[in-house]
Amino acid sequence: MSIKKRILLSNIIMVFFVTGFMILFLFFMISIYTQGLFQPDVEDIYSNPSDSYNLSELQVVVQDVSSSVRKSGCDITKAKNYSSIRRFLKITKTALVIYEEGEIKYYSDGISKDSADSIINSFDFVNETEKESTFVYADNGTMVCRASVVLKNNSSAILYFVNNTADFQNDSSGISVFPNMEQSGAVKSIKYIALICIGALVLINLIIVFVISRSILRPLQLLKQGTKMISEGNLDFEIDYNGDDEISDVIDNFEDMRRKLLLSNEKQKKYEENRKELLAGIGHDLSTPLTSIKGYVSGLLDGVADSPEKQEKYLKTIYTTAEEMDRLVSDVFLFSKLDVDKVPFEFEKIDIGSYLEACSEELKFTFEKDKLLVSFSNRLMFPKMVFIDRSQFARVLLNIAKNSVKYKKEEVASLHIDVSCVNSDSTEMVKITLKDNGIGVPEELTGKIFETFYRNDPARTDTSSGSGLGLAIAKQIVNRHCGSITAESIIGEGLSIIITLPVHEEEKGDLVI
């Protein structure tokens, strides 16, 4: 779940919870306080009594009498409002009996002790459910109200209100219960409910904040550790985080950046190694011909070449060696430019079969004096169009041919060029195979022949075998053509160089020239 959705969901939960809490709280407050607001005042009831009353008025009178009994200890005659109570009972024709610990403590005017006993025996039909409670029984004009009161000495007193002419609202019958407001603890309950709800609100809020904070802070902490490790130069690590939020996308991008930096560092290290090897190879390959040139020049200066024939021989050797040095410097310069992508390529769409056939004819002529027999076979059923820089790809073929001449095992060498079509990952490719009959190289070394300054001569003593940059240059050029170059070889049976190039897909309207 996204962070945006988490925050929205947490806000919705908080809104609904607070709304529910407020509704619940208001419900209790209204149920309690409206009951108190709409109840009649006890003084109004006592001042203007009528011969009938309703449950609301009865509740007020019962609460007032219960309070007086609680304070006076069942001797209601000592209560300050006793006269008002007595007057109310007389006018409404309501009998009051106060009963405590098996003894009648008080019975109102108009009834006898026997009548009081009869009331207690006849209407003691409801068991107490709590220490202080009030039960009202009404049926066909007869009303009995039984109220329990806890006195100061912790004993219980029971008050009986009996009226045979009661006129209740809706003329309802049955038993109803209403609590003693002063001792029921309803207000305390509301306070407890409010405190519980507030506590629950705070707890839920803390839990939500903790969960959301953890879901955000944990991946941020991982990112912090990752950036610290990168700043220390350590790229060999991985951030393990599984999520489907925005931070997960950030971590994925961070991991992608880290992997690219790691790959870039590895390439940089490889580049530095190649550069060092390049400088070492240049220094080694230049030192040998320079030493030779110095030796022959010294011979000329010292008069060792004392005849015109010897002088001419020395000068030809110096010239030939200088040419070799010039070719080496040219190859190094070309390879350096290819390595930094500074060589311009002019690609054009050509028929690869026709192009290779023309190149093979040129190679026959070029290497005729070196006794290299070049042959060509085209196994393409249809012309295949490939984007090629003619001059640069011709250099690839030329360098491979030179390599075949350098490492031939017989006086006459052969190089066969074959072109065919293959499919690689559902992509049509042209496969060009150049196979010679030279000495070959060990199979485990076929990947190294494309490295800079590699020769099948670890000591690099045979300078006549070239600079060792020919196949490295060929690889750079093929890579620029979006192709690949590999080698296969068996010792004593020759070397095969395999080049693959992507075929251009013809579109409607394309013209093949």
Side-chain angles (χ1 to χ4, degrees):
M1 184 183 295
S2 67
I3 297 173
K4 191 174 184 179
K5 290 182 179 178
R6 292 180 195 174
I7 295 174
L8 180 61
L9 179 60
S10 65
N11 289 336
I12 291 173
I13 291 174
M14 291 303 297
V15 168
F16 273 100
F17 185 83
V18 172
T19 303
F21 162 70
M22 293 303 298
I23 291 174
L24 182 64
F25 183 75
L26 289 175
F27 171 77
F28 277 97
M29 292 300 294
I30 290 172
S31 65
I32 295 301
Y33 285 105
T34 54
Q35 188 177 20
L37 288 173
F38 292 107
Q39 281 184 339
D41 186 71
V42 65
E43 295 297 331
D44 291 337
I45 297 173
Y46 289 154
S47 300
N48 302 295
S50 61
D51 56 357
S52 64
Y53 49 86
N54 55 34
L55 278 176
S56 178
E57 293 174 328
L58 174 62
Q59 181 179 1
V60 174
V61 173
V62 171
Q63 289 175 359
D64 184 64
V65 174
S66 298
S67 178
S68 299
V69 170
R70 191 180 299 110
K71 294 176 182 178
S72 62
C74 290
D75 190 359
I76 194 173
T77 58
K78 294 181 179 181
K80 293 181 179 180
N81 59 345
Y82 174 67
S83 59
S84 298
I85 295 172
R86 185 179 180 185
R87 181 169 174 267
F88 172 80
L89 295 174
K90 183 178 180 180
I91 294 174
T92 58
K93 299 178 182 179
T94 301
L96 170 63
V97 178
I98 301 176
Y99 182 76
E100 178 191 7
E101 301 293 336
E103 181 181 356
I104 296 176
K105 297 292 186 178
Y106 174 83
Y107 52 90
S108 62
D109 300 335
I111 63 171
S112 62
K113 187 176 184 301
D114 292 337
S115 298
D117 287 332
S118 178
I119 289 173
I120 294 173
N121 294 327
S122 299
F123 299 105
D124 191 15
F125 51 81
V126 181
N127 295 324
E128 296 183 27
T129 58
E130 54 186 10
K131 285 189 175 183
E132 293 201 1
S133 59
T134 303
F135 297 90
V136 178
Y137 171 77
D139 186 20
N140 297 325
T142 299
M143 181 278 296
V144 178
C145 178
R146 180 181 183 276
S148 300
V149 179
V150 177
L151 304 178
K152 292 181 179 179
N153 58 4
N154 289 327
S155 62
S156 296
I158 301 176
L159 284 63
Y160 293 90
F161 295 83
V162 182
N163 190 299
N164 294 320
T165 61
D167 180 19
F168 293 115
Q169 291 178 354
N170 301 324
D171 194 24
S172 59
S173 299
I175 297 176
S176 61
V177 181
F178 53 84
N180 188 315
M181 289 299 295
E182 295 183 4
Q183 296 297 324
S184 65
V187 176
K188 292 182 180 178
S189 298
I190 291 177
K191 292 180 179 179
Y192 291 148
I193 292 173
L195 290 174
I196 291 172
C197 291
I198 292 173
L201 176 64
V202 173
L203 180 61
I204 291 176
N205 187 45
L206 290 176
I207 292 174
I208 292 175
V209 170
F210 172 76
V211 172
I212 294 179
S213 298
R214 187 174 183 274
S215 65
I216 296 175
L217 294 178
R218 179 177 174 270
L220 289 180
Q221 184 66 25
L222 293 175
L223 281 174
K224 180 181 178 181
Q225 294 174 357
T227 54
K228 182 179 180 182
M229 295 178 72
I230 289 179
S231 65
E232 293 173 352
N234 181 15
L235 295 171
D236 192 15
F237 67 91
E238 185 175 353
I239 295 180
D240 184 16
Y241 176 75
N242 296 321
D244 57 353
D245 51 27
E246 294 87 344
I247 297 182
S248 177
D249 296 336
V250 174
I251 290 179
D252 289 342
N253 292 334
F254 181 88
E255 276 292 287
D256 185 54
M257 178 195 71
R258 180 192 63 81
R259 286 190 288 268
K260 288 181 179 179
L261 285 174
L262 182 62
L263 182 61
S264 177
N265 281 2
E266 291 175 353
K267 287 183 178 180
Q268 184 65 24
K269 289 180 181 179
K270 183 66 176 176
Y271 176 79
E272 289 297 325
E273 292 174 359
N274 290 340
R275 187 180 64 84
K276 291 178 182 179
E277 185 178 350
L278 179 66
L279 292 174
I282 292 172
H284 187 281
D285 285 0
L286 286 178
S287 64
T288 301
L290 279 174
T291 301
S292 176
I293 290 174
K294 286 172 62 179
Y296 283 107
V297 171
S298 177
L300 290 172
L301 293 175
D302 294 340
V304 175
D306 52 1
S307 66
E309 293 79 7
K310 283 187 177 182
Q311 291 176 357
E312 183 179 1
K313 180 181 178 181
Y314 275 32
L315 290 172
K316 285 183 177 180
T317 302
I318 291 171
Y319 180 77
T320 302
T321 305
E323 277 191 328
E324 290 293 334
M325 291 180 64
D326 182 62
R327 283 194 293 270
L328 173 62
V329 171
S330 297
D331 286 345
V332 170
F333 182 67
L334 175 61
F335 178 81
S336 299
K337 291 179 69 177
L338 287 169
D339 198 37
V340 296
D341 199 17
K342 294 295 183 182
V343 177
F345 279 72
E346 297 179 359
F347 292 99
E348 55 182 307
K349 186 174 65 175
I350 62 173
D351 177 8
I352 188 64
S354 301
Y355 171 75
L356 290 175
E357 185 177 7
C359 288
S360 63
E361 293 297 326
E362 292 183 10
L363 291 175
K364 285 180 184 179
F365 177 78
T366 302
F367 291 98
E368 184 178 4
K369 63 181 182 300
D370 297 310
K371 297 182 179 181
L372 177 66
L373 301 178
V374 180
S375 59
F376 172 74
S377 62
N378 184 355
R379 292 192 291 140
L380 298 174
M381 297 182 64
F382 303 100
K384 297 296 179 181
M385 308 305 293
V386 178
F387 279 107
I388 278 183
D389 182 310
R390 291 176 181 269
S391 61
Q392 295 296 346
F393 200 80
R395 185 187 298 273
V396 173
L397 302 177
L398 182 65
N399 287 353
I400 294 174
K402 286 181 179 179
N403 193 71
S404 298
V405 171
K406 293 172 189 175
Y407 297 104
K408 62 183 180 180
K409 64 179 180 180
E410 299 175 357
E411 184 178 358
V412 178
S414 67
L415 177 65
H416 180 69
I417 303 174
D418 177 85
V419 58
S420 61
C421 188
V422 295
N423 290 321
S424 176
D425 297 331
S426 302
T427 302
E428 191 176 19
M429 306 287 287
V430 168
K431 179 181 178 182
I432 305 169
T433 304
L434 299 97
K435 179 176 175 56
D436 63 29
N437 63 343
I439 60 176
V441 297
E443 185 178 356
E444 63 273 12
L445 299 179
T446 53
K448 291 187 176 182
I449 63 176
F450 299 103
E451 295 178 3
T452 55
F453 286 99
Y454 177 81
R455 293 200 197 110
N456 194 11
D457 173 25
R460 302 181 65 82
T461 55
D462 185 11
T463 57
S464 64
S465 62
S467 65
L469 286 173
L471 293 182
I473 292 173
K475 181 179 180 180
Q476 292 274 25
I477 294 174
V478 171
N479 288 343
R480 287 292 302 276
H481 283 75
C482 300
S484 64
I485 182 169
T486 57
E488 296 177 357
S489 178
I490 299 176
I491 290 292
E493 295 186 12
L495 176 69
S496 295
I497 304 295
I498 302 168
I499 301 171
T500 57
L501 298 173
V503 175
H504 172 69
E505 296 183 359
E506 293 291 335
E507 299 179 359
K508 293 182 179 180
D510 284 351
L511 297 177
V512 180
I513 300 176

